């Protein structure tokens, strides 16, 4: 979120802050993870609705932001280990880390494992991300929103395992443990898998569809809200479908029943490998996955699609894709976005589509972030 938009949502939040509310978390105000624990949850939804209507003025009117559970919803937490602390960066100061003992938005299973492993991390050299020296950079906790299976990933800067003591104290209580190498200067919580200590993946269920989640693969951070979004997508998908930025195939596989063939396109080879495992495990034969860049795929495609699904990163689609999307001219474009600014820019660039339906979801309660779903219909 750029400074202008951050100021806008901060100004709106000021109107709803309630001095009589005791924040749920002792770290609120220091930690950069949450901003709205001093605002009633119903008011958070109103605030986000107002924010969206300002951002999307002239594009569409937002009537409501669909709610989530306010706490214990987040199925992935990336906790930085630096300066003899384990936690999250201080709000407004990247150079500082707030040492935390618990996190109120983390799912309960992950929170329990974190409380058990944290005391054993004090004997492990952490990583100074300002000087780019040290060993343990992150501990990443992931949990199946419906299955409750828990994964722990240790992100390290060197090709060695110094984590025997922490691991032996949680290994019987988790489903997956991996050591991941990031030996570059970039501040990333993923990389080469050095060692799968246990499991190598967890699974989660959206209805009767089972998904495998591996250490580096993307999966929506709020499983309950994601399932509601996928249900709405399934209602609107028609005919032959192209799913761009398809990840581990979660949308493709969930909507596959009752529609024509689906092609999922994803640049990550690991995600494609897992997507094909998910396809086989669910006995779905009308979906195929292609490892390719979305723009490159569109340039070379010779088929017509009735529906194109877009779930791009925060920056939105590559601007050069607009030309090819318009050339393909699908009847529908279903656009899932975590950035309303990007959605607005991409929608206006397309030009030949109108918004048939629009939904907003509170995917990330206590934070300023919002997920939106636009069902776009070709005009003419």
């Amino acid at each position: 979120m750029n400074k202008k938009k951050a100021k806008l949502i901060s100004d709106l939040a000021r109107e709803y802050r309630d001095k009589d509310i005791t924040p749920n978390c002792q770290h609120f105000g220091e930690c950069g993870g949450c901003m709205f624990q001093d605002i009633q949850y119903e008011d958070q939804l109103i605030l986000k609705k107002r924010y969206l209507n300002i951002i999307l003025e002239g594009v569409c009117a937002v009537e409501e932001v669909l709610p989530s559970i306010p706490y214990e919803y987040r199925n992935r937490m990336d906790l930085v280990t630096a300066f003899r602390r384990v936690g999250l960066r201080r709000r407004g100061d990247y150079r500082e880390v707030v040492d935390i003992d618990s996190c109120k938005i983390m799912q309960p299973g992950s929170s329990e494992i974190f409380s058990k492993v944290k005391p054993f991390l004090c004997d492990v050299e952490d990583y100074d991300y300002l000087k780019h020296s040290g060993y343990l950079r992150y501990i990443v906790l992931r949990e199946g929103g419906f299955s409750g299976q828990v994964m722990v990933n240790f992100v390290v800067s060197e090709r060695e395992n110094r984590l025997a003591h922490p691991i032996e104290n949680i290994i019987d209580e988790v489903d997956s443990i991996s050591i991941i190498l990031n030996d570059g200067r970039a501040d990333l919580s993923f990389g080469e898998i050095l060692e799968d200590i246990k499991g190598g993946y967890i699974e989660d269920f959206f209805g009767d569809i089972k998904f495998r989640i591996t250490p580096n693969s993307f999966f929506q951070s709020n499983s309950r809200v994601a399932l509601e979004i996928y249900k709405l997508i399934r209602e609107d998908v028609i005919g032959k479908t192209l799913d761009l930025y398809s990840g581990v195939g979660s949308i493709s596989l969930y909507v596959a029943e009752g529609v024509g063939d689906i092609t999922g396109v994803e640049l990550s080879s690991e995600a494609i490998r897992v997507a094909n495992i998910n396809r086989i495990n669910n006995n779905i034969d009308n979906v195929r996955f292609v490892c390719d860049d979305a723009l490159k795929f569109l340039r070379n495609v010779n088929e017509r699609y009735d529906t194109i699904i877009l779930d791009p990163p925060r920056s939105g689609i590559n601007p050069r894709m607009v030309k090819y999307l318009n050339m393909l001219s699908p009847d529908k474009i279903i656009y899932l976005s975590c950035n309303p600014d990007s959605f607005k820019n991409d929608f206006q660039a397309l030009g030949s589509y109108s918004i048939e339906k629009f939904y907003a979801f509170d995917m990330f309660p206590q934070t300023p972030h919002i997920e939106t779903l636009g069902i776009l219909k070709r005009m003419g």
Side-chain angles (χ1 to χ4, degrees):
M1 186 176 291
N2 63 36
K3 290 183 179 179
K4 182 178 178 181
K5 300 303 185 298
K7 183 179 186 306
L8 170 60
I9 205 160
S10 179
D11 290 344
L12 290 171
R14 199 171 293 120
E15 299 180 32
Y16 295 98
R17 298 202 185 281
D18 188 340
K19 294 180 181 178
D20 294 329
I21 294 179
T22 301
N24 233 345
C25 179
Q26 63 179 319
H27 305 294
F28 179 72
E30 299 180 290
C31 163
C34 294
M35 286 182 62
F36 296 157
Q37 287 192 21
D38 56 352
I39 299 175
Q40 296 281 3
Y41 186 59
E42 294 77 10
D43 288 337
Q44 292 184 36
L45 299 176
I46 295 170
L47 185 166
K48 291 184 177 184
K49 173 185 167 182
R50 288 180 62 191
Y51 173 77
L52 281 175
N53 277 309
I54 293 170
I55 298 298
L56 298 175
E57 184 178 6
V59 172
C60 66
V62 180
E63 297 183 1
E64 65 175 334
V65 175
L66 297 168
S68 171
I69 56 173
Y71 293 98
E72 296 185 341
Y73 64 85
R74 190 170 179 89
N75 60 35
R76 175 175 176 142
M77 289 294 299
D78 295 16
L79 299 162
V80 64
T81 55
F83 317 126
R84 307 305 299 166
R85 298 169 191 155
V86 183
L88 298 167
R89 289 182 174 83
R90 187 175 298 277
R91 184 187 300 180
D93 189 353
Y94 174 85
R95 300 172 63 88
E96 291 287 332
V97 173
V98 177
D99 192 68
I100 69 171
D101 297 313
S102 64
C103 177
K104 298 299 183 181
I105 64 174
M106 191 192 315
Q107 285 192 186
S110 298
S111 187
E112 182 179 348
I113 295 301
F114 177 59
S115 68
K116 290 180 178 179
V117 74
K118 186 187 174 188
F120 300 100
L121 297 178
C122 60
D123 295 327
V124 179
E125 181 190 19
D126 60 17
Y127 186 82
D128 186 328
Y129 55 82
L130 301 178
K131 296 179 180 178
H132 301 287
S133 63
Y135 176 69
L136 181 62
R137 304 179 73 140
Y138 281 94
I139 175 173
V140 179
L141 295 117
R142 307 186 71 171
E143 181 174 352
F146 297 103
S147 70
Q149 294 182 15
V150 177
M151 169 187 289
V152 180
N153 299 324
F154 296 97
V155 183
V156 302
S157 65
E158 298 177 21
R159 290 182 176 275
E160 54 186 270
N161 180 356
R162 306 184 202 170
L163 295 157
H165 197 200
I167 288 171
E168 71 182 14
N169 282 279
I170 58 169
I171 193 165
D172 293 332
E173 301 181 55
V174 301
D175 301 277
S176 174
I177 299 177
S178 296
I179 298 177
I180 296 173
L181 176 69
N182 171 15
D183 57 359
R185 297 176 71 89
D187 184 24
L188 302 174
S189 57
F190 56 88
E192 176 190 346
I193 298 175
L194 282 184
E195 190 174 355
D196 281 330
I197 305 294
K198 180 181 181 180
Y201 63 88
I202 57 174
E203 293 180 327
D204 205 8
F205 302 86
F206 279 19
D208 57 356
I209 305 296
K210 178 172 63 176
F211 296 109
R212 178 174 295 193
I213 303 166
T214 54
N216 286 320
S217 59
F218 170 79
F219 205 77
Q220 295 287 355
S221 296
N222 186 326
S223 299
R224 288 170 176 80
V225 172
L227 177 57
E228 296 308 309
I229 294 172
Y230 288 11
K231 288 177 180 177
L232 291 169
I233 294 174
R234 186 164 60 181
E235 290 176 5
D236 270 285
V237 169
I238 56 171
K240 190 178 181 67
T241 299
L242 176 63
D243 180 11
L244 298 176
Y245 312 96
S246 59
V248 296
S250 56
I251 296 178
S252 293
L253 297 170
Y254 188 80
V255 306
E257 187 178 0
V259 301
D261 293 340
I262 300 178
T263 299
V265 179
E266 167 61 46
L267 185 58
S268 165
S269 58
E270 179 178 339
I272 289 293
R273 179 181 63 81
V274 176
N276 279 309
I277 292 172
N278 289 333
R279 176 181 58 79
I280 293 166
N281 287 346
N282 288 284
N283 297 309
I284 295 174
D285 58 10
N286 65 328
V287 177
R288 73 180 183 108
F289 294 104
V290 177
C291 187
D292 204 351
D293 173 75
L295 174 60
K296 182 181 174 184
F297 181 88
L298 288 180
R299 279 176 173 161
N300 297 312
V301 71
N302 293 314
E303 302 175 76
R304 186 185 182 278
Y305 296 93
D306 302 293
T307 304
I308 294 181
I309 300 170
L310 301 173
D311 184 12
R314 285 192 62 80
S315 55
I317 65 173
N318 187 317
R320 289 176 290 175
M321 287 173 59
V322 170
K323 169 185 173 182
Y324 298 101
L325 289 169
N326 280 323
M327 285 173 60
L328 284 174
S329 192
D331 296 323
K332 286 189 176 183
I333 294 178
I334 298 178
Y335 193 129
L336 181 60
S337 173
C338 60
N339 185 345
D341 260 329
S342 296
F343 169 78
K344 178 180 180 178
N345 293 337
D346 292 340
F347 168 71
Q348 291 178 329
L350 283 166
S352 55
Y353 285 82
S354 62
I355 297 179
E356 183 178 34
K357 301 174 188 176
F358 187 85
Y359 306 92
F361 305 88
D362 194 20
M363 180 81 86
F364 311 101
Q366 317 307 329
T367 83
H369 302 295
I370 311 166
E371 195 86 4
T372 65
L373 177 67
I375 311 298
L376 313 183
K377 185 177 181 180
R378 180 165 50 86
M379 295 186 293

